Amino acid sequence: MFSKITNPVIYIYDGETGEFIAETKFSLSTDAETALLDLVNYNRIPPRLLLLNLSFQPSEHYTPPSLDRPVKRIGIIKGLFTDSVSGELIPVEIRIKYDARAHGNLLGNRYFFDSVEYSNIELEGINY
């Protein structure tokens, strides 16, 4: 069982073409961290995830998440998950398909979003 997630990052791919879009660092809200822990610990797929403070390091195929409508994406979330018994940090990789929709871009920077919501999440696999 895991109790905490640190250093989360997601590698994002276009859901239609499979092309790499960006590596993205982000912050986890308490709800999102709980949802990801439930996914890894109990195989409970969350109905949605809200990621905060997303900082995109784009590829040449970068397209920002849409504020108007969801876009299909494939993602690999990586982070260090804290083992609740030993306290050891275990690298975990979660592969998902999802729809992404931006909710906040207060700075107007196409490489930073205050929040992006993931919905219609399909689990592809979890690697330890």
Side-chain angles (χ1 to χ4, degrees):
M1 298 288 285
F2 298 104
S3 60
K4 185 176 178 167
I5 304 169
T6 54
N7 299 330
V9 64
I10 185 167
Y11 298 88
I12 302 171
Y13 300 82
D14 184 285
E16 305 294 331
T17 67
E19 292 178 318
F20 177 68
I21 294 174
E23 175 183 336
T24 308
K25 295 180 181 179
F26 61 92
S27 301
L28 286 168
S29 66
T30 302
D31 289 344
E33 182 174 35
T34 299
L36 287 174
L37 289 169
D38 284 349
L39 176 61
V40 172
N41 289 330
Y42 307 111
N43 204 31
R44 290 187 196 140
I45 299 171
R48 68 180 206 85
L49 285 172
L50 185 66
L51 305 184
L52 306 173
N53 303 316
L54 292 95
S55 179
F56 290 85
Q57 297 181 6
S59 75
E60 62 189 43
H61 303 289
Y62 176 74
T63 53
S66 174
L67 292 165
D68 300 329
R69 60 180 166 61
V71 291
K72 299 249 180 248
R73 296 286 194 243
I74 299 167
I76 302 170
I77 298 172
K78 293 184 177 186
L80 296 174
F81 284 58
T82 303
D83 182 284
S84 59
V85 175
S86 70
E88 183 179 357
L89 297 177
I90 310 291
V92 175
E93 177 181 285
I94 304 167
R95 295 175 176 266
I96 58 174
K97 290 184 178 180
Y98 58 94
D99 293 335
R101 183 175 185 165
H103 284 285
N105 186 348
L106 300 177
L107 300 177
N109 178 343
R110 64 183 260 132
Y111 303 115
F112 180 85
F113 287 81
D114 304 294
S115 63
V116 176
E117 180 180 13
Y118 293 178
S119 60
N120 296 320
I121 298 166
E122 296 176 34
L123 179 62
E124 296 289 302
I126 300 172
N127 296 318
Y128 303 92

